[in-house]
Amino acid sequence: MGKVPRILSWRNMLVLSLAVNFSLILRILKGTDGGNSSYVVSIWPVVSNSLDRTVYGDSKWPVVSTTASGSSSLSSASCTYNETQEDDHRIINLKLGDPMVYERYWQEMGHMTTMVIAGWQSLSYFSDNNNELCWFLEPELAKEIVRVHKVVGNAVTQDRYIVVGTGSTQLYQAALYALSPHDDSGPINVVSAAPYYCSYPLITDCLKSGLYRWGGDAKTYKEGGQYIELVTSPNNPDGILRESVVNRSEGILIHDLAYYWPQYTPITSIADHDVMLFTASKSTGHAGMRIGWALVKDKETAKKMTEYIELNTIGVSKVSQLRVAKVLKAMSDSCGNETAKSFFEHSYDAMFERWKLLKQASKTSKGFTVPDFASQRCNFLGKAFEPQPEGIVDCEKFLREKKNILTKSGKYFGDDLSYVRIE
């Protein structure tokens, strides 16, 4: 007798798992569990699919990112919840994200962003850039950074110094090192308006530096003297365009503009600040390359930032820089292609579709509502659109214990426990 075939292979089981989990998400979004739950949800730019790829797979459904403070939250205020016991064995991980939303676009680009690096290349610490300031910056990357900002019109590059880093996280640390007083005055306070990016306090205090320390919410900051304020615009996690809050003469500003790209928010003006941070993970989706860049107005500040990166990692990977340069070139080239969609048009459509689907789901659900954002005209896309963001005391605990949904508590973003952020 012939060998009996295995009808359900691991691939079959994977597909089955995808289908089952996707249906669960639909049920949650459409509120068909029979409960009377009421949530207030606003969406931060959708740049990531869940790390749990077996749940989301290649779904087009929106990835929700919500957080504290007013408009950007999944809140328990004025809500009643109906506990349900069905599907208790399933867990949906909405706590972390991974920027896979652009994967299909780059797959369709084929070999346009493929490069071959010979084994004898990139041996030296130094880049052949005749750049005495940031000596490890690859000239090709510098050229493409200037070009893409000129194409999009989102940041001033003229008379700016470019500092490359291992993601914007390292650049943030470098900026703190460069801007802090190097004397005996004690650590300078670093503040940001809540809800702020949850890693800011951790990154600021992880080394227990004598130069700087986390000072908390900029909206409640009262101490005198010098301070550093982080201005994240559009803000992570709520997607709101921001300006500085403390506004005192002793203030030193760092602008984190990771999301200031036309797929997330209308580009209404050219950003012109002393220190501006960008990253490939949000602009192109290539988080794994770990490349960010800073546009710095003051030469001495740029020198000190370079000094920090030199002390910290002796430069930045040449291979990653060359890959990002190739990707940025393809991205800029696509904007002048009249026969095909540009990267930003493609990514804008992806964000728009997810936002539209979530708003449609909320209209048929008693459990979810989403806010309306004011539309603005985008200078790059040439049209007006709205930003496309992504009774319970402890909302994170409730969702984890009662709904098997993993989220991140509002406490990590400088707000109270009645809010959570979901990706």
Side-chain angles (χ1 to χ4, degrees):
M1 293 179 63
K3 193 172 182 178
V4 178
R6 290 192 305 165
I7 296 175
L8 290 178
S9 68
W10 67 270
R11 290 185 179 85
N12 299 129
M13 295 302 294
L14 177 60
V15 172
L16 180 61
S17 175
L18 283 168
V20 171
N21 284 287
F22 183 62
S23 67
L24 176 61
I25 294 172
L26 291 179
R27 294 180 64 187
I28 291 174
L29 288 172
K30 293 187 176 180
T32 55
D33 61 353
N36 295 317
S37 305
S38 179
Y39 305 87
V40 180
V41 181
S42 84
I43 307 307
W44 164 237
V46 182
V47 298
S48 58
N49 284 342
S50 170
L51 286 175
D52 187 354
R53 302 293 296 280
T54 61
V55 172
Y56 292 105
D58 209 16
S59 166
K60 285 188 176 181
W61 270 88
V63 179
V64 185
S65 177
T66 63
T67 254
S69 184
S71 66
S72 168
S73 58
L74 183 148
S75 172
S76 61
S78 303
C79 296
T80 57
Y81 295 92
N82 218 6
E83 298 183 15
T84 58
Q85 300 301 319
E86 60 184 35
D87 294 331
D88 282 347
H89 62 290
R90 306 184 194 282
I91 295 176
I92 298 177
N93 188 352
L94 301 179
K95 190 174 183 180
L96 299 172
D98 201 26
M100 300 299 296
V101 66
Y102 305 132
E103 182 179 41
R104 184 170 298 170
Y105 178 86
W106 294 116
Q107 286 174 341
E108 293 173 354
M109 292 293 287
H111 295 293
M112 289 190 66
T113 54
T114 299
M115 64 186 306
V116 177
I117 300 177
W120 54 266
Q121 289 181 280
S122 302
L123 292 177
S124 174
Y125 287 111
F126 301 92
S127 295
D128 185 19
N129 61 5
N130 297 317
N131 187 333
E132 295 180 0
L133 195 150
C134 191
W135 51 267
F136 45 81
L137 171 63
E138 286 293 313
E140 190 66 22
L141 176 60
K143 182 180 77 173
E144 295 303 334
I145 286 172
V146 171
R147 184 185 176 208
V148 75
H149 284 301
K150 184 177 180 180
V151 168
V152 175
N154 63 341
V156 171
T157 57
Q158 187 175 0
D159 298 325
R160 293 299 195 277
Y161 299 94
I162 300 175
V163 181
V164 64
T166 305
S168 58
T169 296
Q170 187 185 41
L171 290 167
Y172 167 56
Q173 294 170 313
L176 292 181
Y177 173 83
L179 297 171
S180 298
H182 287 238
D183 53 26
D184 296 328
S185 59
I188 189 172
N189 285 314
V190 181
V191 299
S192 186
Y196 41 71
Y197 177 43
C198 61
S199 291
Y200 282 155
L202 300 174
I203 297 168
T204 305
D205 287 340
C206 69
L207 296 180
K208 306 297 181 185
S209 173
L211 299 177
Y212 48 82
R213 66 187 177 192
W214 181 247
D217 185 357
K219 289 181 286 190
T220 59
Y221 183 69
K222 302 297 182 184
E223 294 188 32
Q226 278 194 318
Y227 65 93
I228 295 174
E229 182 178 353
L230 296 163
V231 182
T232 308
S233 185
N235 187 44
N236 179 354
D238 61 14
I240 303 299
L241 290 173
R242 281 186 165 183
E243 297 180 352
S244 58
V245 171
V246 183
N247 290 325
R248 296 208 299 259
S249 60
E250 306 94 334
I252 304 170
L253 301 181
I254 300 174
H255 282 78
D256 185 344
L257 304 181
Y259 288 97
Y260 194 50
W261 297 96
Q263 65 266 47
Y264 307 123
T265 190
I267 304 301
T268 57
S269 63
I270 303 175
D272 183 8
H273 307 290
D274 291 345
V275 179
M276 300 182 285
L277 307 183
F278 295 90
T279 174
S281 64
K282 305 306 184 292
S283 56
T284 74
H286 289 82
M289 293 188 195
R290 306 307 311 129
I291 291 293
W293 61 91
L295 302 177
V296 185
K297 183 179 294 186
D298 178 64
K299 185 175 182 179
E300 289 303 312
T301 300
K303 277 186 176 180
K304 287 182 180 180
M305 290 179 67
T306 300
E307 177 184 302
Y308 175 87
I309 295 171
E310 179 180 340
L311 294 170
N312 187 232
T313 53
I314 319 181
V316 178
S317 167
K318 288 186 177 183
V319 174
S320 290
Q321 290 188 63
L322 292 172
R323 285 196 65 200
V324 169
K326 188 91 170 178
V327 169
L328 290 179
K329 182 180 186 305
M331 192 161 70
S332 295
D333 288 347
S334 74
C335 296
N337 189 340
E338 297 180 357
T339 62
K341 262 187 187 179
S342 74
F343 169 79
F344 293 111
E345 289 174 323
H346 173 94
S347 51
Y348 167 84
D349 288 345
M351 299 300 115
F352 178 81
E353 182 66 17
R354 291 181 171 209
W355 181 234
K356 182 180 72 173
L357 288 171
L358 187 64
K359 292 182 79 170
Q360 288 175 348
S362 71
K363 289 179 180 179
T364 60
S365 170
K366 296 179 179 179
F368 292 88
T369 61
V370 294
D372 292 319
F373 292 93
S375 295
Q376 291 179 297
R377 181 173 177 79
C378 177
N379 295 335
F380 175 78
L381 292 175
K383 57 185 173 184
F385 65 93
E386 60 192 53
Q388 303 183 125
E390 288 183 55
I392 299 298
V393 175
D394 189 339
C395 199
E396 184 275 333
K397 181 179 179 182
F398 171 82
L399 290 172
R400 173 168 41 84
E401 294 183 352
K402 304 300 183 183
K403 303 292 185 180
N404 288 343
I405 298 176
L406 304 182
T407 60
K408 199 154 192 172
S409 173
K411 68 181 180 181
Y412 296 108
F413 303 90
D415 223 298
D416 59 59
L417 299 181
S418 63
Y419 297 95
V420 296
R421 178 182 194 252
I422 61 180
E423 294 249 15

